[in-house]
């Protein structure tokens, strides 16, 4: 059977699509291609009450109510800060989806948000970073927010050294 130019072109397109599809799927697996490092980490003891007071003052300056520390949100924030520190990168997905992590921590509210950061040495530094970032600032100024959990985990061998997580919620 003689090959027509169209048939050869169609086969080439199909082969190209199959290769592109395989590459796309490989890219979705992320950690399968490039395993995340398992860096040594150290949780940092924070003054969570002072952090909540600082966030409350900031919210009050925008006409919003205060926040209180919540132990389940501290656990969720600690888990995510640890996951980021171990991986040596900043990602909302490295420890699993936000919803799955909140569920594991026993969260039962309707509104929740997460702020992550890396590199800042102090809470005041990270708070300023979040205030100047439109998305992070919007999270801190959600009117429904009443509770927070904050954590910092250090990974001295990583590029960023310090990893922060703040989780805010209504319930």
């Amino acid at each position: 059977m003689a090959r027509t130019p169209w048939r050869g072109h169609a086969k080439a397109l199909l082969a190209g699509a199959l290769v592109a599809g395989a590459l796309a799927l490989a890219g979705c697996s992320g950690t399968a291609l490039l395993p995340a490092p398992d860096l040594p980490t150290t949780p940092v003891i924070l003054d969570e009450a002072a952090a909540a007071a600082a966030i409350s003052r900031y919210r009050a300056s925008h006409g919003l109510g205060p926040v209180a520390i919540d132990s389940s949100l501290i656990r969720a924030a600690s888990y995510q800060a640890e996951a980021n520190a171990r991986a040596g990168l900043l990602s909302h997905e490295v420890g699993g989806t936000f919803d799955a992590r909140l569920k594991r921590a026993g969260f039962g509210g309707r509104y929740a948000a997460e702020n992550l950061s890396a590199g800042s040495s102090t809470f005041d530094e990270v708070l300023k970073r979040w205030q100047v970032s439109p998305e992070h600032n919007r999270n801190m100024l959600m009117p429904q927010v009443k509770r927070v959990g904050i954590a910092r985990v250090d990974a001295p061998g990583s590029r960023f050294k310090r990893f922060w997580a703040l989780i805010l919620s209504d319930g």
Side-chain angles (χ1 to χ4, degrees), residues 57-80:
R57 283 190 302 275
Y58 181 63
R59 289 173 53 82
S61 73
H62 289 83
L64 298 169
V67 296
I69 290 295
D70 179 280
S71 60
S72 66
L73 296 178
I74 290 173
R75 279 192 306 278
S78 296
Y79 179 84
Q80 190 61 12

Side-chain angles (χ1 to χ4, degrees), residues 17-66:
L18 289 173
V19 169
L23 288 174
L25 287 175
C28 290
S29 65
T31 57
L33 294 177
L34 298 171
D38 190 16
L39 298 170
T41 62
T42 306
V44 175
I45 297 172
L46 298 176
D47 185 346
E48 290 100 352
I55 293 168
S56 292
R57 283 190 302 275
Y58 181 63
R59 289 173 53 82
S61 73
H62 289 83
L64 298 169

Side-chain angles (χ1 to χ4, degrees), residues 100-164:
R101 289 185 282 112
L102 287 177
K103 187 175 181 179
R104 257 193 324 264
F107 173 75
R110 291 182 48 201
Y111 295 92
E114 176 176 70
N115 286 359
L116 301 177
S117 188
S120 297
S121 297
T122 67
F123 176 75
D124 289 339
E125 286 178 19
V126 78
L127 181 61
K128 286 177 186 158
R129 281 186 175 186
W130 288 330
Q131 289 170 341
V132 298
S133 164
E135 289 182 23
H136 294 105
N137 191 54
R138 183 174 33 249
N139 289 344
M140 291 191 301
L141 297 178
M142 283 184 0
Q144 300 87 349
V145 165
K146 294 186 183 353
R147 298 167 19 167
V148 297
I150 182 136
R152 175 181 145 189
V153 175
D154 290 355
S158 72
R159 174 179 158 209
F160 297 111
K161 312 286 185 235
R162 293 163 296 275
F163 295 83
W164 294 85

